[in-house]
Every structure is written in C-alpha cells, then in structure tokens.
Amino acid sequence: KLDKLSVAIDGPAGAGKSTVAKQVANRLNLVYIDTGAMYRAVTLKALRGEVDLDRQEELTGLARQSRIDLVGATPQRVFLDGEDVTEEIRTPEVSRSVSLVAMVPGVREVLVEQQRRLAEETGVVMDGRDIGTVVLPRAQAKFFLTASAEERARRRAKELMDKGYTIDITALTEEIRERDQLDSNRTVSPLVPAGDAIIIDSSGMTVEEVVHRIVAEIKQGEL
Ligand code: CDP
Ligand code: CDP
C-alpha cells in the first residue's frame, strides 16, 4: 500500500525539505521529487538566454520547451535538455532570480502538470511550496516544514561555505526573507500550509528527529 503513497512536504527556503524528503523517501521506498529544482532549471535557462524576467510569455514558452529530468536520489541529478545542471541550478545567481520565474502563472501550469504526471506513475515524496495545496491536494500525508529565518539562513550558509562560497550572513538572511516574501505573497499558488498539513517547526531539531517524526506520522496514518 505504501508504494502508491503520495507525501507532500512544503515550506520556506532552508527549512530542510529536501534533506528530510530524501530520507523519508528512502525509508518508505518512494521516489523523491524536488520540484524546486524544476523551477531552478527553467530559471537557469532564462538567465542563459538573457530573457527578461518580467517577460511572462517568453518564460512560459521557455518552460514549455524545456525537458527536465530528475534522476536518482542521493544525490538527485537534474538534467535540463539532456545536460547535467545539478550544480549550476544552486548558484546564488539562480537562487536570487528563481522566485520571479516561479511567479509566472504559465510557468507554474507547465511544471505542475509534469509534477502530477510523475506522481501518477509511482509513490512519491514531493517537496516544494504548493504540493499539498495545488499539485497533490489529495496526497495522503502533508507536512509543512518550517524553522526561524535565522536558523534557516545559518543552515544555508553552512551548506554554501562547505561548497567553498564566501558568505555574508546578513545578505543571505535578507535574500531568504525576500524569497519567502515573494513566495508567500504571490497571487498564484502562494506558500501557505494546506488546511490538512501537519506543521513541524524544525528549529532546534536534528534531521534525524524530523525524519523520525514524519515517518511515524505516515505510519500512524496507514493504520
Ligand atoms: O531549496 P530552496 O528552499 O532554497 O528552494 P527550492 O525548493 O529549490 O525552490 C526554489 C524556488 O522555486 C522557491 O523559492 C520558489 O520560488 C520556487 N518554487 C515554487 O514556487 N514552487 C515549488 N513547488 C517549488 C519551488
Ligand atoms: O530544501 P530546503 O531548502 O527546505 O532545505 P535543505 O536544502 O534540505 O537544507 C537544509 C539544511 O539544513 C541542510 O544542510 C540540512 O543538513 C540542515 N538541517 C536540516 O535540514 N534539518 C534540521 N532539522 C537541521 C539541519
């Protein structure tokens, strides 16, 4: 029965969605799907093509013409039109622009349709901003993962420093706040917990504790 399960994990940047979602998928034998990576891939394509980020129709066309493949789980590799862009979609440049691209209704329509198709094929743990509300409103288990903005910025800073970037923590915190603002206040599919989502504040929790909690909730729901 677990193999046709859909698990939705939404929340703001740096809450731990992808880290936790991968491990939950692993434990329950489900396929992990990183929907943020899809928005990032379209953003990368727009930046490369020097498309103005307020040209909504062009961005929608770009999304429609993109082939995005998510391959494997740890690490999940992201392919854009056959090219491995796993690292490139995480650059600060893409992070700064992605919320503008994700605001475009046409872009969302194209990507949401692909996401639903993926979830029809197999049991999934899908992470993003609108999975429980829009993409998979009938998911059997929904979680809204959050943490204080400071804690989320600290986590993201550590990740980036481990990759060799020099970090200005004040600027990073500001950037995360800005992205949360854009994501929470946009007209289409804003970042908001689904009415039936379990809200988990992971400030002060370890990854292991969050994973444990989520798996326990899912198993309890199965009984
Ligand atoms: O990993 P991080 O939390 O930084 O972001 P992400 O999950 O890679 O998502 C990047 C951006 O894509 C978000 O800030 C949203 O603007 C957008 N996004 C979205 O609008 N809807 C989703 N389901 C997933 C991501
Ligand atoms: O996907 P999202 O942007 O929500 O977060 P992420 O990319 O999974 O990054 C979260 C970072 O915080 C990772 O480096 C985790 O190891 C760390 N972390 C966590 O995810 N959960 C905790 N409870 C504590 C730390």
Side-chain angles (χ1 to χ4, degrees), residues 13-30:
K17 299 180 299 298
S18 61
T19 306
V20 164
K22 271 178 213 166
Q23 295 194 22
V24 171
N26 218 2
R27 297 263 182 100
L28 301 177
N29 244 315
L30 301 167

Side-chain angles (χ1 to χ4, degrees), residues 12-20 127 151 155-156 159 202 205-207 210:
K17 299 180 299 298
S18 61
T19 306
V20 164
D127 87 345
E151 167 111 15
R155 292 177 184 175
R156 193 44 58 87
E159 265 181 353
S202 73
M205 285 172 85
T206 65
V207 171
V210 179

Side-chain angles (χ1 to χ4, degrees), residues 35 39 112 115-116 126 130-138:
T35 63
Y39 290 93
V112 166
Q115 291 155 11
R116 287 186 180 144
M126 198 175 271
D130 61 338
I131 310 307
T133 49
V134 174
V135 181
L136 306 175
R138 298 176 60 192

